[in-house]
Amino acid sequence: MSEHTSAHTTEHEDEDDQELVPASGGSLAGRGHRPVRYRPSTGYLPWLLTMCDRELARHMTRLLAELDLTEAQYGVLQALVHLRRASSATLARSVSVTPQAMVGLVAALERKGYITREFGRGAGRVIDAEVTARGKEAYEAAKRRVRALDRSLRRSYTDEEFDQLVGLLERLPGVLGRLDDQRGSRRRADD
């Protein structure tokens, strides 16, 4: 366990100073979870990234559920706070859902009173949405919680480890994109 990691979760009253410390030191095991002993012999990196994504999603779900938000709804609020006006397709891409799923997300946010919306003229696909005062409050509270989780994760690593982890993860989409390009080139050459 590093000097930045605690064996328990702590939450402070002041939400701006809130810290969420991982329940375990350095493994995928969390509160109520056994340490991961299985390591696939092939596809280990994709498996590990999936495990990390699921664990992070579990934390995000818990943090946001207390505010009656899903991770995707939080993403839509975040996008609308910054964009103010966007097509369903743009919003869908911003939170990695289909345009069809975006219709449900926007409707749910409107039912909760977090946004008001009008459909644009013309193609009918532009949503003019405005985040309400209630929506801004929910977004700000969620943002504080997400920021606290981010700070807690950062404190679990040294500055050097954190910078290296972020740098490697930021490169991964480009690496995967080049693999797709190489596969496409090989397919065209085989035809």
Side-chain angles (χ1 to χ4, degrees), residues 77-98:
L77 277 178
Q78 186 175 41
L80 284 174
V81 162
H82 291 70
L83 299 174
R84 293 183 92 38
R85 180 176 185 222
S87 69
S88 289
T90 298
L91 288 174
R93 281 190 299 274
S94 74
V95 295
S96 300
V97 300
T98 65

Side-chain angles (χ1 to χ4, degrees), residues 52-84:
C52 291
D53 180 57
R54 288 179 182 163
E55 188 65 17
L56 181 58
R58 187 179 66 77
H59 282 274
M60 291 289 291
T61 296
R62 181 181 52 82
L63 292 174
L64 296 173
E66 295 168 1
L67 300 170
D68 193 30
L69 282 174
T70 66
E71 191 173 351
Q73 290 170 349
Y74 168 70
V76 172
L77 277 178
Q78 186 175 41
L80 284 174
V81 162
H82 291 70
L83 299 174
R84 293 183 92 38

